[in-house]
Amino acid sequence: MKRIHLLLTIVVTTIFLGCEGPEGPQGAPGFTAEAIVYETAPINFLAPSFGVFYTFPDAALRSDHVLVYRLSGVDFGEDVWQLIPQYYFFPDGTLDFGYNYDATRFDVNIFLEGNDLQTLGDNFRLGQIFRIVIIPGQFANKGNTDSIDYSKYSSVAKAYKIDESKIIPLK
């Protein structure tokens, strides 16, 4: 009796596994996220705040990462972007000044900090341009982000396939 029951179970299972019905409708497309890059117009860091505040046109997700780079120069026709915070020190090792930022998923505050910002040269205070990169948090879980040199904008742009034509200007 057990053999017949086992044989019947195998036959019924094989029949059900072999059944195939019509294909269902196409599902909704999956979520595809891209890194978003904003670029500021030239910023003049002036007293009293020595900073500038931007609200993002669209809120980022809580899991997203915000990086800020400063245009520090041009080398052989290529822009040189430096990740901030970025600090400059006196010869004795004490802090002179630095570029820094804080960010939420809604906004970013970019500012100078240091000892005597009033006397800081115009080349460090005036006409500064920044790129704010928002990397979707889902990318951080893909396992390949350990090899990215986040201090280099070019590495981040390559790793996250940033399209320079899609950079959004901030005013």
Side-chain angles (χ1 to χ4, degrees):
M1 187 70 168
K2 287 185 178 183
R3 287 185 185 170
I4 294 174
H5 188 264
L6 179 62
L7 183 61
L8 187 57
T9 303
I10 292 171
V11 169
V12 170
T13 303
T14 305
I15 290 171
F16 281 120
L17 290 176
C19 293
E20 190 175 312
E23 190 172 319
Q26 177 69 30
F31 178 73
T32 56
E34 295 180 348
I36 298 170
V37 181
Y38 299 103
E39 184 171 306
T40 68
I43 296 171
N44 294 327
F45 290 106
L46 304 172
S49 70
F50 292 98
V52 65
F53 184 85
Y54 291 103
T55 301
F56 299 134
D58 297 305
L61 299 176
R62 282 186 167 80
S63 60
D64 291 350
H65 307 282
V66 178
L67 302 172
V68 179
Y69 296 86
R70 183 180 76 89
L71 180 62
S72 64
V74 177
D75 188 29
F76 294 105
E78 295 292 320
D79 291 341
V80 178
W81 296 97
Q82 291 183 320
L83 180 65
I84 64 171
Q86 179 184 42
Y87 295 104
Y88 295 85
F89 297 89
F90 290 115
D92 67 359
T94 59
L95 175 68
D96 183 3
F97 76 97
Y99 299 95
N100 206 343
Y101 74 101
D102 58 47
T104 71
R105 62 192 199 105
F106 304 104
D107 52 49
V108 64
N109 181 30
I110 303 170
F111 54 91
L112 281 174
E113 57 186 355
N115 291 319
D116 189 4
L117 298 177
Q118 298 275 22
T119 63
L120 190 60
D122 289 350
N123 56 325
F124 292 107
R125 287 187 308 106
L126 306 179
Q128 301 297 310
I129 298 173
F130 295 86
R131 283 199 176 161
I132 298 115
V133 180
I134 300 176
I135 299 171
Q138 72 181 36
F139 286 136
N141 298 325
K142 288 194 173 184
N144 62 348
T145 58
D146 292 341
S147 62
I148 300 170
D149 184 355
Y150 288 95
S151 68
K152 295 183 180 177
Y153 174 79
S154 59
S155 295
V156 172
K158 181 179 178 184
Y160 294 105
K161 298 175 178 58
I162 293 173
D163 183 348
E164 296 287 310
S165 69
K166 293 184 178 179
I167 293 175
I168 303 165
L170 286 177
K171 299 176 184 177

